[in-house]
Each structure stands twice: as structure tokens, then as C-alpha cells.
């Protein structure tokens, strides 16, 4: 907590983009202005902070963006921000605009950056979890996850149609280098027979046995959803292995890729982002520092950034028993 009152705040989006970031920016800008603060957009994440790419925002600057994917502030990954010199430059630029509070919308990497920055300099930082991966503890959902999962679902539903028509086994790779939530949720919601994610050890031979058993009873249409970061190295590797073991099966692979990042945010993401953006400004006004704004059980929840970057959400093994039973 700090006693100093903020008067000018900055907002930036950093790391991977996520649908709903714009809704969060809109909420920050309008809440700040409503409370008499001046609000500045820092463009291109920490890189824009270092390059002094900072623009004053008005209420109308965020008109017509709540429904748009991507981020109007642009996002970037900044190598220079890892260095003390880079962060010092960033600090001097914020100071030259009189900015005395910062809201960072991004994933755990961006929070690590915010943590370092606010420990070195007298600018309080508030984090908003903006990542399609949902791999941050301290919030039930992160901005962008719901949209990404719904995009994956609508693609997998289409694949199911053609898989069913041809009695094929489809392997679908979804995003998630370190986290399997997109795979888990989209797999369950599309009735996939198997879901392979980094957080859960898969017995691949059990998967093969189950496919052979299904083949015997003429259930030939099967979906396997794989997170790109699963232990086998993603969909291509899984496909290769299964093809070797089941040479007669008709197997296809689809990698969904970046479509999962784009598109208009869902209602859930717009509301989550609006609530988080609104509360982030209140946090700065109340003198909070170094916390992430989250929502747990529909209540606002504040987690120290130092904890948010370390802890991951836990995936209950029960999910996998359920997948097996529902896909039998
Ligand atoms: P996503 O989860 O979508 O990948 P992210 O926020 O985790 O998003 P990163 O690329 O990990 O994305 O981090 C974004 C930026 O945050 C980095 O490019 C860097 O500028 C800054 N950053 C990350 N870690 C640190 C750190 N330890 N020290 C200083 N800056 C950091």
C-alpha cells in the first residue's frame, strides 16, 4: 500500500494478445477519466515505454473497441526491458509524462516485468491477467480464454462433421505451450475421446488400446484434442506415433493455430475485462501496489504479483475420469 495519490496513470498491453484486451483498456481509460485522473496509453507494451511511445487518452479514444479482438495499444515482447538500463529508460519516460501509476494487461511474463519495475522504481503497478492460456493463479478466468475456447469449439465442431462422414480419427492441436486449459475445455465441450495436455501424464498405449477397442465395435470416428505443449511435442508427433501403431486407421490432423487468438471477444470476456479494468483503477486510487486483479467465485480478488507469477492453477485428475466415461 502507498499513501501517495495517483493523478496520471498509464495502461499497456504486453506479451501475447488476447481477445478482450480492448474492453479492459476501455474500462481503464473511462474509469480513470471519470475519477479525474489523466490516462495515458503506452503503446507496444514495455518496448513503447522504453521508446517513449506514450499517448494521452480521452474518453472517445476508446470508442467502438469493446467488440474488437487484438489490442488497439498493440503489444510486443521487449528484450530491453529485461535489462536494468531498459527499465530505467522506461521509468524516465513515464516520469516525463508525470505518470505515477501503471496498469499492465498481460500474462505471467508481463507480470514478472511489472514486479521488477515496481520494486526498482516508485511507480505502483497493477496487473490484469490477459492471456488465452488461463495459466495464472488468482483468477478463475483470464481475459481472452473464453473467446479462444469458443473459437476452438466452433472449429472442432466443423471437423467433427467431416470426421463423422468419413469415419475418421482426427487429431486437433490447439494452443497452449505450457498450459492445457484450451485443450481441456474445448475437448470436453466437443465430446473428444482423448485430451492430451502438459499438466497430465498420458499413457499413449492406453489411448491406442482404447482406439483398437473402439475399432472392434465399429466406432471409427474419434477426436483427440492435443495441446501444442503436451509431453509428445504436439499434434504432429502424436499423429506420427498413432499412425505407426494403427497403420490401417484413417487419421488426419488439424492444427488450429492463430485463429484462436483473434476474433470478437465473447460476452464473458467483455464482462470480465470491463470488471477487471474498472477495479484496476480503483486499486491504484486506493494505494494498492504490485497486485493482480482477479475474479474468484464472482468476487474481486487481489493476488500479490509475486504469487501470481509463481503459482499455477491446478487441474483435477477427475477431469480425465470424466472424459473417459463420457466418450465411451
Ligand atoms: P503470454 O502468456 O501470452 O506469453 P506474457 O505476458 O507471459 O504473455 P512474455 O513474452 O513472457 O509474455 O512477457 C512479455 C514481456 O514482459 C517480455 O517481452 C519482457 O519485456 C517482459 N518481461 C518478462 N519477464 C521479465 C523479467 N523477468 N524481467 C523484466 N521484464 C520481463
Amino acid at each position: 500500500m502507498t499513501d501517495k495519490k495517483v493523478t496520471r496513470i498509464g495502461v499497456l498491453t504486453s506479451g501475447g494478445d488476447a481477445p478482450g484486451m480492448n474492453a479492459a483498456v476501455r474500462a481503464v481509460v473511462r474509469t480513470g477519466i471519470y475519477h479525474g485522473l489523466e490516462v495515458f496509453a503506452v503503446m507496444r507494451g514495455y518496448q513503447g515505454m522504453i521508446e517513449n511511445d506514450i499517448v494521452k487518452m480521452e474518453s472517445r479514444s476508446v470508442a467502438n473497441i469493446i467488440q474488437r479482438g487484438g489490442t488497439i495499444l498493440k503489444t510486443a515482447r521487449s528484450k530491453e526491458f529485461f535489462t536494468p538500463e531498459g527499465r530505467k529508460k522506461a521509468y524516465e519516460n513515464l516520469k516525463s509524462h508525470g505518470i505515477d501509476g501503471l496498469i499492465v494487461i498481460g500474462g505471467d511474463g508481463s507480470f514478472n516485468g511489472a514486479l521488477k519495475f515496481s520494486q526498482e522504481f516508485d511507480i505502483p503497478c497493477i496487473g490484469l491477467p490477459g492471456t488465452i492460456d488461463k495459466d495464472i493463479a488468482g483468477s478463475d478466468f483470464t481475459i481472452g480464454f473464453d473467446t479462444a475456447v469458443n473459437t476452438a469449439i466452433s472449429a472442432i465442431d466443423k471437423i467433427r462433421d467431416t470426421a463423422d462422414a468419413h469415419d475418421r480419427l482426427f487429431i486437433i492441436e490447439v494452443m497452449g505451450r505450457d498450459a492445457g486449459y484450451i485443450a481441456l475445455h474445448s475437448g470436453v465441450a466437443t465430446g473428444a475421446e482423448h485430451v492430451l495436455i502438459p499438466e497430465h501424464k498420458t499413457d499413449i498405449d492406453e489411448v491406442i488400446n482404447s482406439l483398437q477397442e473402439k475399432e472392434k465395435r465399429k466406432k471409427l470416428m474419434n477426436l483427440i484434442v492435443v495441446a501444442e505443449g503436451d509431453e509428445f511435442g504436439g499434434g504432429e508427433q502424436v499423429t506420427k506415433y498413432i499412425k505407426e501403431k494403427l497403420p490401417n486407421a484413417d487419421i488426419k490432423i488439424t492444427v488450429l493455430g492463430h485463429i484462436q487468438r483473434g476474433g470478437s471477444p465473447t460476452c464473458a470476456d467483455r464482462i470480465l475485462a470491463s470488471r477487471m479494468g474498472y477495479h484496476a483503477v480503483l486499486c491504484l486510487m486506493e494505494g494498492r501496489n504490485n497486485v493482480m486483479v482477479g475474479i474468484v467465485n464472482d468476487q474481486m480478488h487481489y493476488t500479490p504479483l509475486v504469487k501470481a507469477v509463481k503459482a499455477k492453477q491446478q487441474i483435477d485428475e477427475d477431469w480425465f475420469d470424466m472424459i473417459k466415461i463420457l466418450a465411451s
Side-chain angles (χ1 to χ4, degrees):
M1 284 286 198
T2 141
D3 293 338
K4 266 207 262 164
K5 288 271 166 265
V6 290
T7 54
R8 295 176 159 209
I9 63 171
V11 56
L12 61 83
T13 50
S14 168
D17 62 310
M21 281 182 160
N22 281 328
V25 170
R26 171 180 177 271
V28 167
V29 169
R30 294 202 169 154
T31 306
I33 291 172
Y34 174 83
H35 287 289
L37 308 179
E38 287 184 61
V39 185
F40 293 82
V42 180
M43 304 300 291
R44 295 179 291 116
Y46 296 127
Q47 196 54 33
M49 218 157 110
I50 291 170
E51 293 173 12
N52 203 14
D53 194 356
I54 297 174
V55 194
K56 171 106 191 286
M57 300 297 271
E58 306 299 339
S59 197
R60 301 325 306 156
S61 315
V62 290
N64 199 25
I65 64 165
I66 194 168
Q67 79 285 15
R68 283 169 59 188
T71 159
I72 62 159
L73 305 189
K74 309 279 185 187
T75 184
R77 294 194 155 97
S78 168
K79 281 204 181 114
E80 232 183 312
F81 201 74
F82 282 93
T83 67
E85 299 76 35
R87 293 194 294 275
K88 184 150 189 290
K89 250 195 245 171
Y91 171 72
E92 280 159 7
N93 289 331
L94 290 191
K95 274 290 165 199
S96 72
H97 291 274
I99 294 172
D100 47 20
L102 188 66
I103 294 172
V104 172
I105 307 168
D108 55 350
S110 304
F111 292 171
N112 267 318
L115 191 57
K116 274 240 164 86
F117 185 73
S118 67
Q119 284 166 346
E120 289 168 347
F121 303 105
D122 59 345
I123 297 196
C125 291
I126 304 294
L128 295 194
T131 166
I132 61 170
D133 291 335
K134 201 172 94 75
D135 57 347
I136 293 177
S139 190
D140 289 342
F141 291 95
T142 57
I143 297 167
F145 172 73
D146 188 67
T147 309
V149 154
N150 276 291
T151 302
I153 286 174
S154 75
I156 298 171
D157 283 346
K158 291 182 175 81
I159 290 168
R160 178 183 265 282
D161 287 344
T162 169
D164 184 56
H166 287 272
D167 277 337
R168 272 184 180 141
L169 164 59
F170 255 92
I171 292 159
I172 301 132
E173 182 188 288
V174 299
M175 276 187 163
R177 260 175 308 176
D178 306 305
Y181 287 98
I182 296 179
L184 189 64
H185 284 233
S186 64
V188 171
T190 55
E193 275 67 25
H194 300 278
V195 177
L196 277 54
I197 63 171
E199 297 89 336
H200 171 82
K201 190 146 182 45
T202 306
D203 182 345
I204 192 78
D205 293 319
E206 200 184 307
V207 173
I208 305 281
N209 290 343
S210 127
L211 291 170
Q212 280 169 331
E213 180 274 318
K214 289 190 174 88
E215 195 180 1
K216 277 190 203 136
R217 55 182 167 94
K218 300 277 179 270
K219 184 189 181 320
L220 301 173
M221 195 288 285
N222 289 286
L223 300 178
I224 301 182
V225 177
V226 183
E228 61 183 329
D230 90 300
E231 65 199 274
F232 297 98
E236 297 280 358
Q237 296 306 321
V238 172
T239 307
K240 209 170 134 211
Y241 188 82
I242 297 180
K243 272 188 174 163
E244 273 169 24
K245 297 284 175 184
L246 302 174
N248 297 325
D250 188 359
I251 307 176
K252 297 276 181 229
I253 172 168
T254 299
V255 178
L256 294 188
H258 280 78
I259 60 162
Q260 293 159 95
R261 280 202 184 278
S264 184
T266 57
C267 174
D269 272 332
R270 295 181 200 193
I271 289 172
L272 189 75
S274 299
R275 289 177 76 189
M276 287 180 170
Y278 169 80
H279 282 279
V281 176
L282 301 187
C283 275
L284 281 178
M285 290 171 57
E286 287 161 6
R288 286 183 200 261
N289 186 9
N290 270 336
V291 293
M292 183 195 88
V293 176
I295 298 179
V296 174
N297 292 334
D298 208 34
Q299 299 295 314
M300 300 317 295
H301 190 86
Y302 306 104
T303 306
L305 283 181
V306 72
K307 271 199 190 159
V309 297
K310 281 202 190 117
K312 297 274 176 235
Q313 294 186 15
Q314 296 300 316
I315 295 178
D316 202 309
E317 282 297 307
D318 188 45
W319 279 84
F320 295 91
D321 297 337
M322 179 183 76
I323 291 167
K324 222 184 262 175
I325 290 168
L326 299 190
S328 59

